């Protein structure tokens, strides 16, 4: 055999050996939760939660998040959102991975947290993030986040289709 064939055979055997070892370990340990749930620690994250007894009024962001219903990921996907997990802030118009990281670092971890934020506070968070974040306009983020927290995915999709540069269309003046 040529050296290339030797290396190719060694590679294929290595891959097969690794796969068999992985399979044996999984079956030896006994897998109870799906791999995605185990990897992300979300085994019970998508379990239905009963709605709160009364609507929260005048609560802080953390108290509101404790009372908010679970985000319906299946409905979000059906409406055309590429949502990866509950409270995936990157599905909101104008929020990318870097801004998502900045919001999480500031304690805004869910749609409910973002929905109760004032635009001025969001601008201050973006300013603290540096010059690269100052171009983002968070004016529509609380409204979008509220629709997502309320599982109003079709309404959110319609709002995002009407947006121009991350902002809702201007109201017609009479």
């Amino acid at each position: 055999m040529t050296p290339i064939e030797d290396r190719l055979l060694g590679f294929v055997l290595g891959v097969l050996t690794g796969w068999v070892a992985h399979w044996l370990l999984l079956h030896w340990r006994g897998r109870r939760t799906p791999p995605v749930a185990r990897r992300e620690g979300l085994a019970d994250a998508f379990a239905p939660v009963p709605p709160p007894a009364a609507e929260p009024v005048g609560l802080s962001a953390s108290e509101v998040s404790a009372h908010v219903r679970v985000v319906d990921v299946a409905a979000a996907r059906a409406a055309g959102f590429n949502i990866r997990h509950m409270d995936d802030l990157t599905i909101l118009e104008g929020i990318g991975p870097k801004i998502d990281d900045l919001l999480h670092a500031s304690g805004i971890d869910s749609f409910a947290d973002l929905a109760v934020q004032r635009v001025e506070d969001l601008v201050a968070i973006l300013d603290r993030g540096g010059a690269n974040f100052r171009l983002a306009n968070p004016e529509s983020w609380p409204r979008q986040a509220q629709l997502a927290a309320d599982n109003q995915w079709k309404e959110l999709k319609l709002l995002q289709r009407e947006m121009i540069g991350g902002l809702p269309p201007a109201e017609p003046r009479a």
Side-chain angles (χ1 to χ4, degrees):
M1 289 192 349
T2 66
I4 293 176
E5 290 172 340
D6 273 342
R7 290 182 180 147
L8 183 61
L9 181 62
F11 174 76
V12 170
L13 288 176
V15 168
L16 286 175
T17 304
W19 178 79
V20 168
H22 177 71
W23 183 82
L24 286 173
L25 283 173
L26 286 178
H27 288 285
W28 176 65
R29 287 190 322 189
R31 181 167 47 178
R32 302 255 188 277
T33 58
V36 171
R38 192 173 55 249
R39 181 175 53 241
E40 297 177 10
L42 298 175
D44 298 319
F46 297 113
V49 174
E55 283 295 314
V57 179
L59 300 175
S60 69
S62 59
E63 291 170 326
V64 168
S65 4
H67 291 284
V68 172
R69 293 185 309 263
V70 171
V71 173
D72 189 354
V73 175
R77 289 183 179 151
F81 289 99
N82 186 18
I83 189 166
R84 295 183 301 272
H85 54 81
M86 284 187 10
D87 295 322
D88 180 8
L89 299 178
T90 61
I91 67 163
L92 302 181
E93 186 71 30
I95 298 180
K98 297 289 185 183
I99 292 177
D100 182 51
D101 291 342
L102 184 64
L103 292 173
H104 283 286
S106 299
I108 301 172
D109 297 322
S110 67
F111 293 125
D113 291 341
L114 184 56
V116 296
Q117 296 296 317
R118 295 180 322 151
V119 175
E120 297 82 23
D121 297 336
L122 294 171
V123 169
I125 291 170
L126 293 172
D127 285 342
R128 284 193 305 266
N132 292 337
F133 297 103
R134 290 191 184 119
L135 294 176
N137 189 336
E139 185 177 321
S140 67
W141 298 351
R143 173 75 178 126
Q144 292 182 69
Q146 186 63 55
L147 289 171
D150 292 340
N151 287 316
Q152 295 178 351
W153 300 107
K154 291 179 182 177
E155 292 83 357
L156 177 59
K157 185 58 92 172
L158 288 173
L159 175 66
Q160 288 182 348
R161 284 185 184 150
E162 294 173 357
M163 294 175 109
I164 301 169
L167 298 173
E171 296 293 325
R173 296 184 184 204

